[in-house]
Amino acid sequence: MNIYVMMDPDYKDTYWCRQTVNGILEETSKKKYGCILLQDEQPETIDWDQLFDNDKRLLIVVGTSVAWIPGVLSHLQKNKVQVILVSLQPPTGFTGVSTILMDHVDTTRSLLYYLSGLGKKRIALYGINPNSSADELKVDCFRSFLQESTGEDCTERIFYNYASLSDCYRQFALKQKHQDLSFDAAICANDVVAISLIRHLEKDGHRVPEDLYLVSFGDTLMARLFSTPLTTVSLNHLELGHQAVSAFSYLMKNPTVISVSIKVECKLHIRASSGSCPENFAYAVTTHGRSVPQIDFYDDDEVQEALSVENFINRCDELDLQILDGLFKHTKYSQLSEALYLADNALKYRIRRMVSWLHLRSRPELVALLSSYLSEASLQEAGVIKAEADTGHVHF
């Protein structure tokens, strides 16, 4: 039996999508299913009769864009294709769609309780992508929480990212200049946004967590290794993939069932960006829908650079990280090759390869870029993580 997977074109090259697909591939392997990734195809170009032949028309769709999904669902429903939608709440009006979702709403609420419990009175919601279904849920929860707790309109506390994190920060910085409007904490839409905010704040002479507590969503490797490690909610995208295959299997065995809904729990990881204070966490989920403009979160140099560093670190093996640690310490090639039991040519090859992964021109550019995100200590921690990690995931 084959499982077919379609991906949001703006989302498919991200770390999060790759993790979800890795989860799908892991679970299909366990269940002895085949898995066909429809990576570049548009729904309109696919002959669904030929693709499914006499099999049940059941498709896993992975994405986050609320601007992309309505047209896709309309086309699939016209062609009688049943959908398992991963990471995205279907828009109003679409029925019979199975969903595999993170618990974004009550996770956001729990972050608000967490920061409020630490005495934070002016909390901002930062870097929201108006084209993201998950971010839409965070906004709804943020608004309802503040309405319930303070009765105030929270519009001035929400900062949208219209594909420019620099512009988003400028709006935030304007509020921070005024004492009566400034914030003492921020919930960031994801780890990339959080890292961007910290970097901008540092350029303006502000410190995290001394001047601003900061929490985010993602728990990426970069969140753990960044110069100020991030307090984040882990979004288990591998588990999203596992559950998508479980839903597929259940629907195949129970043809009278129209749809299923599965929620994946999130976990808070306390780190330096919120002062390493204790946690108190709980979960739930809700749904909501509205039309939004087409905004590409990934069409931003800051986002692309941060994601490229995240992808780079995930691509490096333990030996690569040991080499980088030596480069950070300005160790001579001869000493580094001897310490790592590598021939000089092998060492130089690995360095050239890492430079090419980031599309840079030289070793100094590599060190300069990574130094702006990572420290020697975080590289050593990454080496430990890599040594302990399961390397069986598939990357594409």
Side-chain angles (χ1 to χ4, degrees):
M1 184 191 308
N2 285 328
I3 289 182
Y4 295 91
V5 181
M6 175 173 286
M7 290 164 279
D8 179 345
D10 289 333
Y11 185 60
K12 70 183 184 67
D13 292 325
T14 66
Y15 167 80
W16 303 290
C17 186
R18 286 199 299 274
Q19 287 292 91
T20 301
V21 173
N22 279 332
I24 292 171
L25 294 172
E26 286 181 352
E27 199 66 18
T28 53
S29 177
K30 290 178 185 177
K31 295 182 180 297
K32 309 299 183 185
Y33 295 158
C35 185
I36 309 298
L37 302 180
L38 307 175
Q39 293 196 53
D40 302 314
E41 296 87 342
Q42 297 298 317
E44 298 81 7
T45 66
I46 296 174
D47 185 335
W48 299 104
D49 293 329
Q50 181 180 2
L51 184 70
F52 289 110
D53 196 13
N54 293 320
D55 293 335
K56 181 179 176 69
R57 296 191 177 204
L58 184 56
L59 177 71
I60 295 176
V61 178
V62 182
T64 61
S65 171
V66 294
W68 173 75
I69 197 60
V72 172
L73 289 180
S74 293
H75 179 83
L76 293 173
Q77 288 192 348
K78 287 178 184 177
N79 286 274
K80 299 180 180 178
V81 178
Q82 194 173 357
V83 174
I84 298 171
L85 192 54
V86 183
S87 293
L88 179 60
Q89 184 70 38
T92 302
F94 290 95
T95 59
V97 178
S98 297
T99 56
I100 317 295
L101 298 169
M102 298 289 184
D103 283 357
H104 283 294
V105 170
D106 270 12
T107 299
T108 303
R109 180 175 289 271
S110 296
L111 288 176
L112 286 160
Y113 277 125
Y114 169 69
L115 291 172
S116 298
L118 297 176
K120 301 305 170 184
K121 305 295 186 184
R122 289 278 300 173
I123 304 170
L125 186 61
Y126 183 84
I128 292 297
N129 176 7
N131 194 31
S132 165
S133 173
D135 284 6
E136 177 182 301
L137 294 174
K138 295 166 193 171
V139 169
D140 289 345
C141 179
F142 188 78
R143 288 185 183 279
S144 63
F145 179 91
L146 290 185
Q147 183 64 39
E148 293 167 8
S149 59
T150 68
E152 68 176 275
D153 177 13
C154 67
T155 301
E156 66 170 14
R157 296 194 186 198
I158 302 173
F159 297 87
Y160 286 90
N161 171 28
Y162 295 97
S164 174
L165 287 172
S166 295
D167 288 345
C168 186
Y169 177 72
R170 277 191 282 271
Q171 297 301 315
F172 182 82
L174 286 174
K175 295 284 177 65
Q176 287 297 86
K177 289 180 180 178
H178 300 282
Q179 188 171 0
D180 58 335
L181 297 176
S182 64
F183 303 101
D184 53 16
I187 298 174
C188 293
N190 56 57
D191 291 343
V192 171
V193 167
I195 288 170
S196 167
L197 178 55
I198 291 176
R199 286 160 62 89
H200 281 292
L201 286 168
E202 287 177 346
K203 288 179 182 176
D204 284 349
H206 304 297
R207 298 175 300 168
V208 172
E210 290 84 354
D211 300 322
L212 183 83
Y213 272 29
L214 186 149
V215 299
S216 112
F217 293 79
D219 194 37
T220 58
L221 188 58
M222 278 290 294
R224 288 171 269 172
L225 301 179
F226 190 58
S227 54
T228 304
L230 302 179
T231 291
T232 67
V233 175
S234 60
L235 306 178
N236 193 340
H237 289 85
L238 274 172
E239 185 60 20
L240 283 179
H242 295 162
Q243 293 299 328
V245 177
S246 295
F248 178 95
S249 180
Y250 179 81
L251 291 169
M252 292 296 288
K253 293 175 182 176
N254 297 274
T256 59
V257 176
I258 297 175
S259 65
V260 298
S261 178
I262 298 174
K263 293 171 286 186
V264 174
E265 289 190 348
C266 308
K267 182 179 180 181
L268 181 64
H269 302 272
I270 307 297
R271 302 191 182 98
S273 68
S274 66
S276 301
C277 295
E279 67 199 76
N280 183 12
F281 226 52
Y283 309 95
V285 72
T286 188
T287 63
H288 183 60
R290 60 183 173 86
S291 60
V292 297
Q294 179 70 53
I295 300 294
D296 185 359
F297 166 74
Y298 306 100
D299 187 21
D300 180 353
D301 290 344
E302 276 194 78
V303 172
Q304 289 296 328
E305 182 179 271
L307 287 175
S308 70
V309 174
E310 168 72 26
N311 291 335
F312 173 84
I313 295 297
N314 278 279
R315 193 171 183 179
C316 287
D317 60 24
E318 188 179 357
L319 181 55
D320 291 328
L321 293 171
Q322 290 174 331
I323 292 171
L324 289 172
D325 184 52
L327 295 181
F328 269 44
K329 294 174 179 174
H330 306 289
T331 306
K332 292 182 179 179
Y333 277 13
S334 58
Q335 295 173 327
L336 188 56
S337 59
E338 181 179 353
L340 297 176
Y341 302 101
L342 277 176
D344 286 350
N345 287 340
L347 174 64
K348 291 175 182 177
Y349 166 76
R350 279 189 170 256
I351 293 172
R352 288 197 302 271
R353 185 180 64 170
M354 288 189 285
V355 168
S356 69
W357 285 348
L358 286 167
H359 306 290
L360 301 174
R361 293 172 295 181
S362 65
R363 173 186 52 78
E365 285 188 0
L366 174 69
V367 174
L369 174 60
L370 296 180
S371 296
S372 66
Y373 288 89
L374 308 172
S375 64
E376 289 180 26
S378 63
L379 277 174
Q380 292 162 8
E381 182 182 349
V384 173
I385 292 170
K386 289 286 183 180
E388 295 175 347
D390 174 14
T391 58
H393 297 169
V394 179
H395 298 277
F396 57 89

